[in-house]
PDB file of all heavy atoms in Angstrom:
ATOM      1  N   SER B  21     -10.235   4.443 -19.900  1.00 35.00           N
ATOM      2  CA  SER B  21     -11.235   5.440 -19.615  1.00 35.00           C
ATOM      3  C   SER B  21     -12.027   5.214 -18.409  1.00 35.00           C
ATOM      4  O   SER B  21     -12.201   4.059 -17.998  1.00 35.00           O
ATOM      5  CB  SER B  21     -12.062   5.651 -20.813  1.00 35.00           C
ATOM      6  OG  SER B  21     -12.965   4.530 -20.958  1.00 35.00           O
ATOM      7  N   GLY B  22     -12.592   6.230 -17.826  1.00 35.00           N
ATOM      8  CA  GLY B  22     -13.352   6.085 -16.485  1.00 35.00           C
ATOM      9  C   GLY B  22     -14.713   5.493 -16.758  1.00 35.00           C
ATOM     10  O   GLY B  22     -15.399   5.251 -15.784  1.00 35.00           O
ATOM     11  N   GLU B  23     -15.124   5.286 -17.951  1.00 37.00           N
ATOM     12  CA  GLU B  23     -16.578   4.763 -18.143  1.00 37.00           C
ATOM     13  C   GLU B  23     -16.797   3.495 -17.433  1.00 37.00           C
ATOM     14  O   GLU B  23     -15.988   2.574 -17.443  1.00 37.00           O
ATOM     15  CB  GLU B  23     -16.836   4.686 -19.576  1.00 37.00           C
ATOM     16  CG  GLU B  23     -15.727   3.958 -20.403  1.00 37.00           C
ATOM     17  CD  GLU B  23     -16.378   3.204 -21.536  1.00 37.00           C
ATOM     18  OE1 GLU B  23     -17.559   3.302 -21.714  1.00 37.00           O
ATOM     19  OE2 GLU B  23     -15.564   2.587 -22.208  1.00 37.00           O
ATOM     20  N   GLY B  24     -17.925   3.462 -16.733  1.00 40.00           N
ATOM     21  CA  GLY B  24     -18.346   2.259 -15.972  1.00 40.00           C
ATOM     22  C   GLY B  24     -17.342   1.905 -14.822  1.00 40.00           C
ATOM     23  O   GLY B  24     -17.218   0.798 -14.471  1.00 40.00           O
ATOM     24  N   GLY B  25     -16.704   2.938 -14.339  1.00 42.00           N
ATOM     25  CA  GLY B  25     -15.802   2.701 -13.164  1.00 42.00           C
ATOM     26  C   GLY B  25     -14.630   1.713 -13.547  1.00 42.00           C
ATOM     27  O   GLY B  25     -14.259   0.824 -12.739  1.00 42.00           O
ATOM     28  N   GLY B  26     -14.177   1.871 -14.738  1.00 46.00           N
ATOM     29  CA  GLY B  26     -13.054   0.990 -15.229  1.00 46.00           C
ATOM     30  C   GLY B  26     -13.557  -0.372 -15.481  1.00 46.00           C
ATOM     31  O   GLY B  26     -12.719  -1.314 -15.512  1.00 46.00           O
ATOM     32  N   GLY B  27     -14.751  -0.535 -15.695  1.00 50.00           N
ATOM     33  CA  GLY B  27     -15.351  -1.861 -15.893  1.00 50.00           C
ATOM     34  C   GLY B  27     -14.792  -2.478 -17.174  1.00 50.00           C
ATOM     35  O   GLY B  27     -14.884  -3.720 -17.307  1.00 50.00           O
ATOM     36  N   ASP B  28     -14.220  -1.717 -18.082  1.00 80.00           N
ATOM     37  CA  ASP B  28     -13.654  -2.285 -19.234  1.00 80.00           C
ATOM     38  C   ASP B  28     -12.512  -3.172 -18.965  1.00 80.00           C
ATOM     39  O   ASP B  28     -12.192  -4.054 -19.736  1.00 80.00           O
ATOM     40  CB  ASP B  28     -13.106  -1.082 -20.146  1.00 80.00           C
ATOM     41  CG  ASP B  28     -14.036  -0.939 -21.304  1.00 80.00           C
ATOM     42  OD1 ASP B  28     -14.841  -1.812 -21.612  1.00 80.00           O
ATOM     43  OD2 ASP B  28     -13.898   0.051 -21.990  1.00 80.00           O
ATOM     44  N   ARG B  29     -11.852  -2.927 -17.818  1.00 89.00           N
ATOM     45  CA  ARG B  29     -10.706  -3.781 -17.488  1.00 89.00           C
ATOM     46  C   ARG B  29     -10.996  -4.920 -16.646  1.00 89.00           C
ATOM     47  O   ARG B  29     -10.186  -5.628 -16.112  1.00 89.00           O
ATOM     48  CB  ARG B  29      -9.612  -2.871 -16.935  1.00 89.00           C
ATOM     49  CG  ARG B  29      -8.815  -2.071 -17.967  1.00 89.00           C
ATOM     50  CD  ARG B  29      -8.211  -0.846 -17.368  1.00 89.00           C
ATOM     51  NE  ARG B  29      -7.420  -1.205 -16.170  1.00 89.00           N
ATOM     52  CZ  ARG B  29      -6.993  -0.351 -15.260  1.00 89.00           C
ATOM     53  NH1 ARG B  29      -7.425   0.879 -15.294  1.00 89.00           N
ATOM     54  NH2 ARG B  29      -6.338  -0.832 -14.321  1.00 89.00           N
ATOM     55  N   ALA B  30     -12.311  -5.216 -16.508  1.00 94.00           N
ATOM     56  CA  ALA B  30     -12.686  -6.184 -15.665  1.00 94.00           C
ATOM     57  C   ALA B  30     -12.607  -7.618 -16.292  1.00 94.00           C
ATOM     58  O   ALA B  30     -12.382  -7.675 -17.538  1.00 94.00           O
ATOM     59  CB  ALA B  30     -14.180  -6.049 -15.245  1.00 94.00           C
ATOM     60  N   LEU B  31     -12.577  -8.647 -15.505  1.00 95.00           N
ATOM     61  CA  LEU B  31     -12.714 -10.010 -16.125  1.00 95.00           C
ATOM     62  C   LEU B  31     -14.163 -10.416 -15.975  1.00 95.00           C
ATOM     63  O   LEU B  31     -14.880 -10.266 -14.959  1.00 95.00           O
ATOM     64  CB  LEU B  31     -11.921 -11.042 -15.256  1.00 95.00           C
ATOM     65  CG  LEU B  31     -12.332 -12.452 -15.474  1.00 95.00           C
ATOM     66  CD1 LEU B  31     -11.785 -13.018 -16.757  1.00 95.00           C
ATOM     67  CD2 LEU B  31     -11.721 -13.286 -14.287  1.00 95.00           C
ATOM     68  N   ARG B  32     -14.717 -10.741 -17.217  1.00 95.00           N
ATOM     69  CA  ARG B  32     -16.108 -11.277 -17.141  1.00 95.00           C
ATOM     70  C   ARG B  32     -16.068 -12.654 -17.828  1.00 95.00           C
ATOM     71  O   ARG B  32     -15.588 -12.784 -18.926  1.00 95.00           O
ATOM     72  CB  ARG B  32     -16.966 -10.334 -18.100  1.00 95.00           C
ATOM     73  CG  ARG B  32     -17.203  -9.003 -17.418  1.00 95.00           C
ATOM     74  CD  ARG B  32     -17.893  -8.009 -18.439  1.00 95.00           C
ATOM     75  NE  ARG B  32     -17.495  -6.623 -18.110  1.00 95.00           N
ATOM     76  CZ  ARG B  32     -17.911  -5.976 -17.080  1.00 95.00           C
ATOM     77  NH1 ARG B  32     -18.826  -6.521 -16.247  1.00 95.00           N
ATOM     78  NH2 ARG B  32     -17.568  -4.742 -16.785  1.00 95.00           N
ATOM     79  N   ALA B  33     -16.558 -13.567 -17.087  1.00 95.00           N
ATOM     80  CA  ALA B  33     -16.441 -14.925 -17.618  1.00 95.00           C
ATOM     81  C   ALA B  33     -17.685 -15.753 -17.274  1.00 95.00           C
ATOM     82  O   ALA B  33     -18.265 -15.652 -16.137  1.00 95.00           O
ATOM     83  CB  ALA B  33     -15.300 -15.644 -16.939  1.00 95.00           C
ATOM     84  N   HIS B  34     -18.097 -16.484 -18.153  1.00 95.00           N
ATOM     85  CA  HIS B  34     -19.116 -17.560 -17.868  1.00 95.00           C
ATOM     86  C   HIS B  34     -18.459 -18.858 -18.442  1.00 95.00           C
ATOM     87  O   HIS B  34     -18.412 -18.967 -19.706  1.00 95.00           O
ATOM     88  CB  HIS B  34     -20.431 -17.283 -18.443  1.00 95.00           C
ATOM     89  CG  HIS B  34     -21.527 -18.261 -18.170  1.00 95.00           C
ATOM     90  ND1 HIS B  34     -22.752 -18.341 -18.747  1.00 95.00           N
ATOM     91  CD2 HIS B  34     -21.497 -19.281 -17.293  1.00 95.00           C
ATOM     92  CE1 HIS B  34     -23.367 -19.319 -18.276  1.00 95.00           C
ATOM     93  NE2 HIS B  34     -22.641 -19.919 -17.397  1.00 95.00           N
ATOM     94  N   VAL B  35     -18.037 -19.632 -17.551  1.00 95.00           N
ATOM     95  CA  VAL B  35     -17.289 -20.807 -18.011  1.00 95.00           C
ATOM     96  C   VAL B  35     -18.104 -21.977 -17.876  1.00 95.00           C
ATOM     97  O   VAL B  35     -18.558 -22.356 -16.786  1.00 95.00           O
ATOM     98  CB  VAL B  35     -15.930 -20.970 -17.128  1.00 95.00           C
ATOM     99  CG1 VAL B  35     -15.175 -22.195 -17.477  1.00 95.00           C
ATOM    100  CG2 VAL B  35     -15.017 -19.739 -17.412  1.00 95.00           C
TER     101      VAL B  35
END
Side-chain angles (χ1 to χ4, degrees):
Chain B
S21 70
E23 46 149 4
D28 252 349
R29 283 160 50 203
L31 163 72
R32 293 172 207 284
H34 184 189
V35 172

